[in-house]
Amino acid sequence: MDFNKKLSSSIEQVKSNLSNTITNLFFLIRSLNLGNALVSMYGMNFEYIFPLEMEQDPYLCTQALVYDNNCSCDSYSNCTSQANFILSNSFDRIPINGLKIGCLPSESLRSSTLECFYNQSCIHLIQQYINYNGPSISSLANLSRFPINTTVNELIDNMFIEQWRTQINYSSYFHQCSPLLCSYTYIQSVDLTYTITFLLGLQGGLTIVLKWITPKLIQIIYKIYRQYRKKRTNIVHIQPSIEVFNNTDTSTTTGYIHASKIISICSIAMFLITGIIVFSIYIIPKENRTTSTTFPTTDVNFNSTILSTITITTTTTTTFRKTCESTFDSIPLYYIYPQYPILADFTNDGKLDIAFTTQMSASITVLPGLGDGTFTTEIVSSMSSIDCFCTMLTTIVSGDINNDNKIDILFSAESYILGVLLGNGDGSFEVQPVFLTFITNPIELPILADFDNDTYLDIVVIEGITSIISLFVGHGNGSFTLKVTLDGGEIDFPIFIDATDANNDGYLDILIVNLDSKSVSVFFGYGNGNFQTRITSFTGGALTPMRMSFGDFNNDSLLDIIVAYRVYKFSIMFGFGNGTFANRKTLAANQTISAIVTSVGDFNNDGHQDIVVSECLPMTVNIFYGNGHGQFWSQTIFSNDIFGVLTWINVGDFNNDGHQDILATEKASGVMTLLLNRNQCNSTLI
């Protein structure tokens, strides 16, 4: 019952505070615009004026607009007037019922009503003046408890809610929200051990209190007694000597009386203390002790019977045991401005190699691996002698593009070129690249994958300015044809792209990170090169997303994604298998500034996916170990004092020991650091 009361109280508090929050937000926007004299986008509060001496004056002047009742936007930002349409070739005005215009769009909206949308003629008028050619829009039926002339401000105060209904159903909550962990608290009667422990603790506390307060109490009583005796002694009586002697006897008798009073006071105090002890002993057996248990939701089957037997009193925090942390050996690799490193077997010897390009260079460098964490002499394939306008390669990705069992490279260049370098199988590439197309917009990181299930690799790219996502289908011979284009949302501004099977249907899907709308989107693939309409999930908050990784971090066989932000944080968004992601869990890195980069692997071989994160100032690599329930703890595995940003993180097994290693690349300093995983845990718990 207490829990239900608290829940009802919280709901009532939300009812009272929610509208105030929105109102305060509008007030803040209004105050900022007024205080800074900012010109609104629509120029409704200030207008530009052109002085006669404009040729000599390099500045543009503004003046405030004036609305009804001589309300000036210079002094007030909530000035409004009737909204009208102006007839062509005329000065006649047609008012729009209920709609207002004013200094700020927010204030105009708050002062407006929705009367126009209850009137079909008014709706036709709006359609006519905005050249609307879509399906017919019917007027609203007045089925609301709010009158049609209710202002939007009043609707906001009431949160547009017709009726509040509260239904508490824990089973429904569980199935709708799918919490990662479930906590319950049950009531357990106090046993003998607990009672004895409580009494001993009470006795010890009383002993300390009485030891401190009793001397103080005696001192106070003694001081009062001495002051009383002084007053009695200072009274002079003219009496014979024998009376003086008798007076002394009276004083002595009085002292005994006061001593009796002190004893009485102490007895009363002891009586009160004894009463407290007896009362404590009496109520202790009736007290209850709370025991909390937390467990993963995957092991719980909530139903109405279980819920009826559980008394929820508190929310507990889940703790878990950390599995062993890995150890890493750092091996520096020094090259001139390395960038866009990729891992593959370019030499066809069954050992992992590294390929990268360098800043201000149209060349590919391959470091052939020896299978023990070391590398032989680099192999450089340069395109500088080719007239391809490729002064600098911006991205490279690897794959067998022409189906000859040799790893090829797909590259993009600063001149908006998309091309292919066919591999020779020995770490080198054909000098003459295959130019696929000249794309008119900057290309973000291209993706090589088979989207139409014909065993040939296809290409998906983001054309940066237009936000178009283009699919080029491969023919298995190094050539490609543009098949489809997808609308990535120009206002969303997609910045990063990747591909995986997001809904477990066996077909590859496209995932993108949207910079401006702070969201991630999924295009579900049909397996034939076509895709469904995108589904978007917002990353939440004011942080700007930049990069993305994915995996299954709560062992529910559904895809989860990691969103790395422009600042020092990243989030894990748990997926529902339908293209949407929620239950955002934000983790902070150690540094205060950085565009961090993340990657995924199992670095301690516990069967749960971990996250490796790069940071800057200083350059740092941290591993966030997962426990399979969406919870993590961190370990710093590499750090130095070099100023720079670890721009790329690659994961692979460089020494064939079955443990995943890490390659951290910092472009500015030209440092590539190989972190060899020595994983000597052997599943030991710490």
Side-chain angles (χ1 to χ4, degrees), residues 504-579:
N504 295 331
D505 63 351
Y507 304 134
L508 282 178
D509 312 309
I510 298 174
L511 288 79
I512 59 177
V513 175
N514 303 306
L515 181 70
D516 288 351
S517 63
K518 298 179 176 57
S519 61
V520 294
S521 298
V522 178
F523 292 90
F524 283 127
Y526 291 113
N528 59 0
N530 296 310
F531 299 85
Q532 300 180 22
T533 304
R534 64 176 180 152
I535 301 172
T536 298
S537 301
F538 294 95
T539 56
L543 300 178
T544 302
M546 298 295 294
R547 293 291 186 264
M548 173 177 57
S549 306
F550 41 76
D552 181 13
F553 302 104
N554 55 356
N555 287 348
D556 60 354
S557 300
L558 301 176
L559 185 74
D560 310 315
I561 60 175
I562 305 169
V563 180
Y565 299 102
R566 179 174 285 167
V567 294
Y568 63 101
K569 294 182 178 179
F570 65 98
S571 290
I572 301 168
M573 299 179 65
F574 299 96
F576 298 111
N578 59 357

Side-chain angles (χ1 to χ4, degrees), residues 394 412-418 437-444 461-470 490 493:
T394 54
S412 61
E414 62 175 351
S415 51
Y416 309 160
I417 292 175
L418 194 63
T437 182
F438 283 84
I439 296 180
T440 57
N441 296 291
I443 300 173
E444 298 295 336
V461 297
I462 300 175
E463 299 187 32
I465 297 177
T466 62
S467 299
I468 293 175
I469 300 171
S470 301
E490 186 173 356
F493 196 73

Side-chain angles (χ1 to χ4, degrees), residues 85 94-97 114-129 132 134-142 148:
F85 283 124
I94 301 177
I96 309 172
N97 291 341
L114 304 181
E115 295 178 63
C116 182
F117 303 101
Y118 291 93
N119 188 313
Q120 193 65 48
S121 300
C122 188
I123 293 177
H124 287 322
L125 181 67
I126 294 177
Q127 291 176 333
Q128 176 186 348
Y129 276 86
Y132 177 77
S136 177
I137 300 176
S138 302
S139 60
L140 298 174
N142 189 16
I148 62 174

